[in-house]
Amino acid sequence: MTEPARFDRGHTDDLMTFLSASPTPYHAVASAAERLEKAGFRQVAETDAWEGTSGGKYVLRGGAIVAWYVPEGTAPHTPFRIVGAHTDSPNLRVKPRPDSGAHGWRQVAVEIYGGPLLNSWLDRDLGLAGRLTLRDGSTRLVNVDRPLLRVPQLAIHLDRSVTADGLKLDKQRHMQPVWGLGNDVRDGDLIAFLEETAGIPAGEVTGWDLMTHSVEPPAYLGRDRELLAGPRMDNLLSVHAGTAALAAVASGASKPASIPVLAAFDHEENGSQSDTGADGPLLGNVLERSVFARGGSYEDRARAFAGTVCLSSDTGHAVHPNYAERHDPTHHPRVNGGPILKVNVNNRYATDGSGRAEFTAACEAADVPFQSFVSNNSMPCGTTIGPITAARHGIRTVDIGVAILSMHSARELCGADDPFLLANALTAFLEG
């Protein structure tokens, strides 16, 4: 690959904007939809009858988005090429009765979502964002993107055992953030504050899905700014790259051989079992309805699915300079070395030999280098939406991603060139 393309930072600059605008899955899919709208895509409602017209379309459901582009004259049995990702990240989420406190401190009651590195949330300025549901059933996004909450760490003078035994955090007792002072904790104070912030009449909010986020913006890091530090790169980095790739293919001069699709799901961090998760029916319903809207039969649906390929794009582990022994000794993915191909023979990742060939072809077409990742045999291997997608829909699936450090931290670290390289590879894949 030529050096000028390797170091084009326009994509990474836009990723930073995307991360800042997407503190929750609901904001992330709204940000993706906004970008797709500019590329000519239009939202369709699941409750409406779908037309078999060509062009770009997308469905929003909660914190998930499925978008696809149908070229002119596409036959009903045409296979799909899917980029899969997830919109959620580990964090602290507000409980049904959020107002709490003690000893003159006002606090917000939170529950731990997913598997966050809890220590990374201590003594960090946190905002609050999410989705508010009103009495009439409509929803509104809210984002308090300023220092509002903080989980204060205990001073070392009050726990000298930290230096010898390490930090031990109780998820219930030690992770409740403070947001003010006062002895009279009143039910409804937090929601009333958010109603006022969002310009909603008092008492109209009857439901909420709220979560904390670090308000520190993404930033280039290092002597030569070759690194990127920021929140929620697991896995909004892939959502952003997939959105950019789909928009590029839909706007391109050449007609793709297959129907390009972006499927970004919620709830990957806690098992994907929801109506907006990869283990739910959303993707299958959208693909089937696309076939049937173009006059296809069940036979056409079966033919389309049999030829479909999905790249499950999620972040993976770069070799850590302080913990190299935790990695497989012959597989040391490096940041800015290009995307990684994830392999696990026990199907924690869905990649097989034919999938490797598929990804190799895409990277060669885009002139993008790539690396391989496997876990150390002595360490448990994580998983992704890849095996779920393959098993649920009978779709050939390949697990890939970008290598990062500090996965599941409130602030993660990747190479500043890798997001651009991933987007190029995804674009070549969707072009077919």
Side-chain angles (χ1 to χ4, degrees):
M1 183 171 183
T2 60
E3 287 304 305
R6 285 287 298 276
F7 294 95
D8 181 349
R9 293 287 169 82
H11 177 88
T12 305
D13 291 342
D14 189 63
L15 169 62
M16 295 165 72
T17 300
F18 184 82
L19 292 173
S20 295
S22 307
T24 76
Y26 315 110
H27 290 82
V29 297
S31 298
E34 181 181 4
R35 283 165 161 74
L36 291 173
E37 288 270 352
K38 292 178 180 178
F41 284 70
R42 295 295 177 262
Q43 183 176 2
V44 294
E46 292 183 84
T47 53
D48 290 345
W50 289 6
E51 299 177 352
T53 54
S54 59
K57 303 177 179 68
Y58 68 90
V59 165
L60 289 181
R61 184 192 288 187
I65 183 171
V66 179
W68 66 103
Y69 175 74
V70 180
E72 191 73 37
T74 298
H77 63 268
T78 302
F80 302 90
R81 285 198 159 231
I82 305 167
V83 171
H86 68 88
T87 60
D88 59 320
S89 301
N91 56 20
L92 313 178
R93 302 204 171 187
V94 175
K95 289 183 175 180
R97 295 187 62 185
D99 299 290
S100 67
H103 309 292
W105 293 98
R106 300 181 69 184
Q107 295 176 275
V108 174
V110 297
E111 191 172 4
I112 310 302
Y113 178 82
L117 290 171
L118 293 179
N119 61 292
S120 70
W121 290 86
L122 300 178
D123 297 330
R124 189 179 293 275
D125 296 338
L126 303 175
L128 191 65
R131 179 179 65 175
L132 302 173
T133 304
L134 310 189
R135 290 187 181 278
D136 62 3
S138 63
T139 59
R140 293 273 293 275
L141 298 184
V142 63
N143 182 13
V144 184
D145 195 27
R146 65 171 177 84
L148 179 69
L149 305 137
R150 187 180 179 91
V151 183
Q153 189 169 191
L154 184 65
I156 193 172
H157 312 81
L158 303 179
D159 184 11
R160 298 287 185 180
S161 66
V162 168
T163 56
D165 302 330
L167 180 65
K168 295 185 174 73
L169 294 172
D170 183 282
K171 293 179 180 180
Q172 178 62 40
R173 292 185 296 123
H174 300 152
M175 297 306 298
Q176 307 306 311
V178 299
W179 77 303
L181 301 174
N183 292 311
D184 56 335
V185 175
R186 298 181 299 273
D187 282 344
D189 276 359
L190 179 68
I191 300 306
F193 164 75
L194 293 175
E195 286 176 330
E196 181 180 2
T197 300
I200 298 171
E204 282 298 302
V205 173
T206 56
W208 52 87
D209 303 278
L210 300 166
M211 56 204 76
T212 60
H213 66 276
S214 171
V215 298
E216 185 180 2
Y220 288 110
L221 184 146
R223 185 193 66 181
D224 299 318
R225 292 161 51 91
E226 69 268 48
L227 301 172
L228 174 65
R232 300 177 295 281
M233 286 194 279
D234 177 15
N235 185 34
L236 293 189
L237 188 158
S238 294
V239 176
H240 176 262
T243 302
L246 180 59
V249 172
S251 304
S254 59
K255 176 182 175 180
S258 302
I259 298 174
V261 180
L262 168 68
F265 303 101
D266 201 353
H267 302 130
E268 190 271 349
E269 297 293 355
N270 61 9
S272 296
Q273 292 184 319
S274 71
D275 69 319
T276 54
D279 204 17
L282 180 59
L283 176 61
N285 286 349
V286 168
L287 300 185
E288 287 182 349
R289 291 184 68 178
S290 174
V291 171
F292 298 150
R294 285 176 281 120
S297 62
Y298 184 82
E299 182 71 11
D300 292 315
R301 180 261 187 216
R303 292 175 65 188
F305 276 47
T308 292
V309 184
C310 174
L311 290 189
S312 164
S313 182
D314 202 347
T315 54
H317 303 294
V319 62
H320 197 301
N322 299 336
Y323 301 90
E325 73 281 358
R326 300 296 182 101
H327 299 264
D328 181 87
T330 59
H331 294 77
H332 280 177
R334 299 183 177 225
V335 298
N336 287 336
I340 56 175
L341 180 74
K342 302 179 183 180
V343 178
N344 180 264
V345 295
N346 294 302
N347 275 2
R348 299 293 286 173
Y349 302 131
T351 307
D352 62 9
S354 65
R356 178 185 177 90
E358 195 78 54
F359 187 57
T360 298
C363 289
E364 288 179 347
D367 198 17
V368 167
F370 74 91
Q371 311 171 81
S372 295
F373 172 83
V374 294
S375 290
N376 186 308
N377 287 336
S378 300
M379 306 288 293
C381 180
T383 191
T384 68
I385 66 166
I388 294 171
T389 302
R392 181 171 182 82
H393 305 294
I395 290 172
R396 186 155 54 103
T397 304
V398 189
D399 271 297
I400 65 161
V402 161
I404 70 171
L405 294 183
S406 306
M407 187 183 294
H408 286 199
S409 172
R411 196 166 176 84
E412 296 161 325
L413 185 69
C414 76
D417 299 325
D418 281 332
F420 176 67
L421 296 175
L422 174 65
N424 283 355
L426 295 183
T427 301
F429 167 74
L430 291 180
E431 288 173 340

